[in-house]
């Protein structure tokens, strides 16, 4: 019998290695491609959309967030409190000064307004067409979705390079994707082989 934890770690390592192999030009082009397509649901004026400050070789959501802001959305970024706890979110705009958080990730100033997002853009390490996802293992987004969905119906949109896609089922204890539903209520799009965005409504 295979070891689920080891298998998940292997899938994560393989996906991250493939992502790291992309050039800076490929990653920049992919970010613009995501922005050009936008999200597959309507963004109403005033909608709070949280993104993330990219680390390692994650796809940069900034071009997409700028496009969303032009539609009247309010932008936010997450801040880390502690391992095993939900993220908090603070208002953000592209010209704001950032500070380094406890994990060395750029975050909005502590003085920025705390908000609750309606839509969360989530970086993915690996995923499959069944809606399973693999992150970095800390569980920050799992705790966050569980916490926020007690307050309101938060939508999730996973953002990743298509070479992070696994044709099989990475399952084996992997988490369900943010906002992806086991009942098939999902919209998974594979455009050019560089980038993939997927998301769905919350049931």
């Amino acid at each position: 019998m295979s070891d689920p934890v080891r298998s998940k770690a292997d899938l994560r390592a393989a996906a991250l290695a493939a992502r790291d192999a992309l050039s800076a030009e490929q990653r920049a082009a992919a970010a613009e491609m995501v922005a050009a397509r936008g999200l597959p649901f309507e963004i109403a004026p005033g909608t709070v959309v949280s993104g993330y400050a990219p680390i390692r070789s994650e796809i940069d959501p900034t071009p997409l967030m700028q496009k969303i802001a032009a539609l009247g959305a309010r932008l936010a970024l997450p801040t880390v409190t502690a391992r095993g706890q939900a993220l908090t979110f603070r208002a953000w705009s592209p010209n704001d000064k950032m500070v380094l958080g406890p994990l060395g990730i750029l975050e909005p100033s502590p003085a920025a307004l705390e908000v609750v997002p309606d839509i969360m853009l989530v970086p993915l390490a690996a995923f499959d067409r069944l809606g399973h996802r693999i992150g970095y293992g800390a569980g920050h987004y799992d705790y966050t979705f569980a916490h926020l969905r007690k307050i309101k119906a938060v939508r999730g949109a996973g953002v990743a390079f298509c070479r992070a896609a696994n044709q099989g089922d990475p399952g084996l204890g992997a988490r369900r994707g943010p906002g992806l539903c086991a009942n098939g209520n999902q919209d998974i799009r594979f455009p050019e082989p560089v980038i993939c965005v997927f998301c769905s409504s919350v049931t």
Side-chain angles (χ1 to χ4, degrees):
M1 179 180 294
S2 62
D3 182 348
V5 176
R6 178 65 178 274
S7 298
K8 189 161 64 173
D10 289 345
L11 287 166
R12 180 186 294 113
L16 294 181
R19 190 178 77 184
D20 290 343
L22 292 169
S23 68
E25 291 75 16
Q26 286 174 305
R27 286 195 288 272
E32 293 297 335
M33 196 179 296
V34 171
R37 285 180 171 77
L39 294 176
F41 42 73
E42 181 180 358
I43 305 295
T47 299
V48 179
V49 180
S50 68
Y52 57 89
I55 59 173
R56 306 178 189 177
S57 54
E58 288 175 345
I59 189 166
D60 187 353
T62 305
L64 173 61
M65 295 178 71
Q66 291 174 327
K67 179 177 180 178
I68 290 172
L71 298 175
R74 299 162 55 202
L75 302 180
L77 288 179
T79 63
V80 177
T81 51
R83 189 180 181 91
Q85 294 186 15
L87 300 167
T88 57
F89 298 84
R90 295 189 180 278
W92 173 82
S93 66
N95 294 323
D96 287 352
K97 290 185 177 180
M98 307 274 278
V99 299
L100 279 179
L103 299 183
I105 301 173
L106 289 172
E107 299 179 351
S109 164
L113 178 68
E114 187 170 332
V115 296
V116 177
D118 300 297
I119 298 170
M120 290 169 54
L121 303 181
V122 181
L124 308 178
F127 63 92
D128 71 3
R129 290 176 179 270
L130 299 180
H132 299 105
R133 73 173 180 90
I134 294 177
Y136 295 125
H140 290 299
Y141 282 101
D142 299 294
Y143 291 117
T144 303
F145 275 106
H147 171 67
L148 293 184
R149 284 175 174 166
K150 295 176 183 177
I151 302 172
K152 63 179 178 181
V154 179
R155 281 179 160 176
V159 185
F161 296 99
C162 264
R163 58 178 61 192
N166 183 57
Q167 295 305 312
D169 179 0
L172 299 174
R175 307 175 184 91
R176 277 284 169 187
L180 293 179
C181 307
N183 64 3
N185 178 22
Q186 56 189 324
D187 177 10
I188 302 180
R189 300 187 297 164
F190 288 81
E192 282 79 3
V194 180
I195 190 66
C196 170
V197 179
F198 65 88
C199 52
S200 83
S201 301
V202 178
T203 53

